[in-house]
Amino acid sequence: MATEDTHPLDFGDDPLRLGVRPAPGEVWLVGAGPGDAGLVTIRGWSAILAADVVVHDRLGCEEILARLPGHIRRVNVGKLPGERAMTQERIHAILVEEARSGARVVRLKGGDPFVFGRGSEEVAHLRALSIPVRIVPGVTSAIAAPGAVGVPVTHRAVARSFVVCTGRDEQGKLPTGIAADTHLYLMGIEALPEIVASLLAAGRSPETPVVIVANASTYRQFHLRATLATAERAVRSAGIQPPAVVLIGETAGESVAPHLVGNPGAVLVTGSRIPAAIEQRAPGAPLLWRPLFAARFRRDSAPSGDLPASLATGAWTVFHGVPSVEGWLHELQRAGLDLRQVRCRLAAVGAEAARTLERWHLRPDVVWAADDAAAMCASVAGQPTWLATESGYRGALLRRLEEAGAAPATLLPVHDWEPLDPGPVEWRHVASVTLTSPRSLRRFPEAFPDAPLARLTALCVGNDLMTRAREMGFGQVVALE
Ligand code: SAH
């Protein structure tokens, strides 16, 4: 049964031993990958979720931080736009202090910790002080960024070697005189004129294809294709800013994944879960997960005295979301009950609630669409009905059940919603937003006062939300389920 606030990546049970976690006083350098939270290794996520503190960069870490449980402390040692970076000595001091205080420390570094990230210096410093360190490699942006737009770094016919360079070394100089079929530059946007000049001087043709990918695998991903001759102008006119990877070589002309050629707008997900239906509505679009609320199990108040009656033969319990199922299971456990006492009939509103019940081997007797009053009538008329949901629920569903003839329809509080601060969003990269509950729809204008509604598509669950999204001023409104 669900016993804690469950994280979707809970490695509590790790039968395959893929996880392994840092011990108190250890520092683990974990590769955060290029930005997509799914591009962190399983061991990386396992270490992150077991950490007491995550000492993180800015690059590559944003989406992971958005998914961190609230009890894990965060220390930002990354450079903010327009600010100076923290000195390496200061970062060392923080890691030492945290480890010596007995914390399980994850040092989260963009991409792979050992590619241009000064990870080796951090390891050397900690080892010199006998602080245990482990390395969890990451997906480097050098390869993942071109890959995100379908450009390989090698190709049997045209590229049998690649080299990864920095746009500037310690002295601010560009490494030159390296021969490889594919040249990849990190931190290469500022140095692009020198990069182009050095490759032309080395005899590469001005027609050599170039691809430049900024913010790869994040919702801000943007790329352009050019040639050595046109790259500088193209970057200037598109206004490309770091972080970006520059790939120069024949593979940049390969279109191995033509569906990745455009720059699709991102989907902002405001709910506590990422709905499965997004893949059909916006296939392959980058996701930006900024939940406006987190579901919390109830701990401080006693389980509802109604619980036994709601489970009795002849009663209905209605669920309208994942937290309502998981919170209800948690309440059963708190009340000393288990699935053997569940004699009532079960109704799921929406596919996600139905799937969650089934995951716990509870087959819903009916699955209703969000506002299918007729179906509700046919089921609950004359029956006592409980709605398992948040404490203090004020949505329309209870009234609907009563109108459908439930006798009576009663609230069964099984969880709470804690409001979250979604932080700033760069709207020019966003094409649509999901609105999957009245609660997130209501909070949307306050949480995102600068959202350009007229330009955005709202992906809504149910007719009520669609109507309200239209009234709010969304340019387009589309059904999500
Ligand atoms: N250790 C990192 C690199 C750190 S240096 C890695 O393995 O990826 C920082 C540079 O990495 C940036 O200037 C940029 O060139 C590149 N970079 C990091 N994340 C990126 C991303 N999501 N998209 C494009 N380039 C990225």
Side-chain angles (χ1 to χ4, degrees), residues 26 124 322 359 415 450:
E26 285 185 359
V322 176
R359 198 169 307 139
H415 70 87
D450 54 344

PDB file of all heavy atoms in Angstrom, residues 26 124 322 359 415 450:
ATOM      1  N   GLU A  26      29.157  10.981   2.544  1.00  0.00           N
ATOM      2  CA  GLU A  26      29.710  10.762   1.194  1.00  0.00           C
ATOM      3  C   GLU A  26      29.249  11.861   0.234  1.00  0.00           C
ATOM      4  O   GLU A  26      28.151  12.397   0.381  1.00  0.00           O
ATOM      5  CB  GLU A  26      29.243   9.426   0.620  1.00  0.00           C
ATOM      6  CG  GLU A  26      29.943   8.232   1.224  1.00  0.00           C
ATOM      7  CD  GLU A  26      29.554   6.906   0.557  1.00  0.00           C
ATOM      8  OE1 GLU A  26      28.718   6.894  -0.376  1.00  0.00           O
ATOM      9  OE2 GLU A  26      30.101   5.896   0.992  1.00  0.00           O
ATOM     10  N   ALA A 124      39.357  15.506  -6.606  1.00  0.00           N
ATOM     11  CA  ALA A 124      40.710  15.541  -6.047  1.00  0.00           C
ATOM     12  C   ALA A 124      40.696  16.229  -4.679  1.00  0.00           C
ATOM     13  O   ALA A 124      41.308  15.758  -3.718  1.00  0.00           O
ATOM     14  CB  ALA A 124      41.653  16.263  -7.005  1.00  0.00           C
ATOM     15  N   VAL A 322      -5.408  10.572  -9.467  1.00  0.00           N
ATOM     16  CA  VAL A 322      -4.431   9.674  -8.860  1.00  0.00           C
ATOM     17  C   VAL A 322      -4.326   9.916  -7.346  1.00  0.00           C
ATOM     18  O   VAL A 322      -4.384   8.978  -6.560  1.00  0.00           O
ATOM     19  CB  VAL A 322      -3.061   9.836  -9.567  1.00  0.00           C
ATOM     20  CG1 VAL A 322      -2.004   8.974  -8.895  1.00  0.00           C
ATOM     21  CG2 VAL A 322      -3.202   9.491 -11.051  1.00  0.00           C
ATOM     22  N   ARG A 359      -3.915  -0.486 -10.867  1.00  0.00           N
ATOM     23  CA  ARG A 359      -2.554  -0.778 -10.413  1.00  0.00           C
ATOM     24  C   ARG A 359      -2.581  -1.429  -9.033  1.00  0.00           C
ATOM     25  O   ARG A 359      -1.712  -2.193  -8.677  1.00  0.00           O
ATOM     26  CB  ARG A 359      -1.736   0.515 -10.395  1.00  0.00           C
ATOM     27  CG  ARG A 359      -0.260   0.275 -10.366  1.00  0.00           C
ATOM     28  CD  ARG A 359       0.531   1.550 -10.608  1.00  0.00           C
ATOM     29  NE  ARG A 359       0.148   2.242 -11.804  1.00  0.00           N
ATOM     30  CZ  ARG A 359       0.020   3.570 -11.903  1.00  0.00           C
ATOM     31  NH1 ARG A 359       0.218   4.335 -10.850  1.00  0.00           N
ATOM     32  NH2 ARG A 359      -0.319   4.123 -13.027  1.00  0.00           N
ATOM     33  N   HIS A 415      -6.734  13.492   1.240  1.00  0.00           N
ATOM     34  CA  HIS A 415      -5.432  14.146   1.075  1.00  0.00           C
ATOM     35  C   HIS A 415      -5.629  15.645   1.096  1.00  0.00           C
ATOM     36  O   HIS A 415      -6.763  16.139   1.171  1.00  0.00           O
ATOM     37  CB  HIS A 415      -4.737  13.705  -0.225  1.00  0.00           C
ATOM     38  CG  HIS A 415      -5.403  14.229  -1.463  1.00  0.00           C
ATOM     39  ND1 HIS A 415      -5.108  15.450  -2.018  1.00  0.00           N
ATOM     40  CD2 HIS A 415      -6.362  13.701  -2.261  1.00  0.00           C
ATOM     41  CE1 HIS A 415      -5.846  15.644  -3.096  1.00  0.00           C
ATOM     42  NE2 HIS A 415      -6.630  14.603  -3.265  1.00  0.00           N
ATOM     43  N   ASP A 450       2.210  36.613 -16.347  1.00  0.00           N
ATOM     44  CA  ASP A 450       2.711  37.122 -17.631  1.00  0.00           C
ATOM     45  C   ASP A 450       2.426  36.167 -18.797  1.00  0.00           C
ATOM     46  O   ASP A 450       2.968  36.338 -19.888  1.00  0.00           O
ATOM     47  CB  ASP A 450       4.223  37.374 -17.532  1.00  0.00           C
ATOM     48  CG  ASP A 450       4.975  36.139 -17.051  1.00  0.00           C
ATOM     49  OD1 ASP A 450       4.310  35.208 -16.510  1.00  0.00           O
ATOM     50  OD2 ASP A 450       6.204  36.086 -17.210  1.00  0.00           O
TER      51      ASP A 450
END
